Amino acid sequence: TTTVFGPLELARTRIQSGMEGNRTVVQVLADLVRNRGIRSLWAGLLPTLWRDAPFSAIYWTSYEQLKQENGLLCRSTNSPIAVSLLAGTGAGSVAALVTTPADVIKTRRQAIQLSAAKSQFADRTFLASLRLVAREEGLFSLMTGAGPRLAKVAPSCAIMMGCYDLVKQVFQELRTLRISSS
């Protein structure tokens, strides 16, 4: 999905950074293709993959650990949905924090790589970009935006997992009813 939705992520990043004024996503993408070619739609794809792949691995591992039947969350509540919501929040928070440096590099690459100005990031690898930012701006600068990222990701993960487990529970109950009535 990262590859498919990469152009939308790019347009969102450019619009949020103020580079595009009041233009729409379609206008931004059409202009990029017209002026820089179709490949420009995937600027920042590698840093995005460096962010998304570890995020998923950390998220799902953390979620399953937090949701274990003998874990603290299950002992503190009898509600499976509450456990899903809390586990989703915790796992999303951990994954978002750990992958924030990759998000910083992705955002800078997308915002700067396609601007008119020549950037220090233009021909650097992902790891070289991380080192450059840490060396020139300090290690803490790699956590820029961690607060807003957590504010977005944690509730999104909680809602997603709460809904998923609720729907799963409904289908399991329907299946049980269907089997017992046949």
Side-chain angles (χ1 to χ4, degrees):
T1 60
T2 299
T3 305
V4 172
F5 292 108
L8 293 176
E9 173 86 4
L10 173 63
R12 179 191 61 80
T13 299
R14 290 179 62 87
I15 290 168
Q16 286 180 335
S17 72
M19 295 176 71
E20 299 295 338
N22 291 329
R23 297 170 41 152
T24 67
V25 170
V26 172
Q27 290 170 327
V28 170
L29 294 177
D31 189 49
L32 285 170
V33 171
R34 185 173 37 261
N35 295 325
R36 300 186 183 252
I38 193 81
R39 290 185 65 196
S40 69
L41 296 180
W42 287 272
L45 177 62
L46 289 176
T48 303
L49 292 171
W50 273 98
R51 178 196 67 186
D52 290 356
F55 180 95
S56 293
I58 294 164
Y59 176 77
W60 289 107
T61 302
S62 300
Y63 180 75
E64 290 302 325
Q65 289 296 312
L66 289 169
K67 231 184 116 181
Q68 283 184 351
E69 285 187 36
N70 60 352
L72 177 65
L73 292 178
C74 287
R75 288 193 307 258
S76 63
T77 180
N78 290 334
S79 169
I81 299 307
V83 170
S84 294
L85 291 170
L86 291 170
T89 300
S93 297
V94 169
L97 279 175
V98 170
T99 58
T100 293
D103 194 50
V104 168
I105 299 304
K106 177 219 53 107
T107 302
R108 289 182 182 205
R109 268 267 169 86
Q110 288 179 329
I112 295 170
Q113 187 174 357
L114 295 174
S115 72
K118 187 71 173 159
S119 166
Q120 301 178 67
F121 288 99
D123 298 317
R124 292 188 185 269
T125 65
F126 172 76
L127 293 174
S129 297
L130 277 174
R131 283 192 296 272
L132 175 71
V133 170
R135 183 178 66 243
E136 294 194 0
E137 299 175 35
L139 205 52
F140 192 70
S141 66
L142 291 171
M143 296 305 288
T144 302
R149 184 164 156 76
L150 276 173
K152 173 191 166 222
V153 171
S156 296
C157 290
I159 293 166
M160 176 183 68
M161 295 316 297
C163 290
Y164 170 78
D165 283 341
L166 180 64
V167 169
K168 184 171 90 173
Q169 181 181 347
V170 167
F171 280 115
Q172 287 172 338
E173 289 174 11
L174 287 173
R175 183 174 180 226
T176 303
L177 286 173
R178 195 179 78 179
I179 290 171
S180 64
S181 67
S182 32

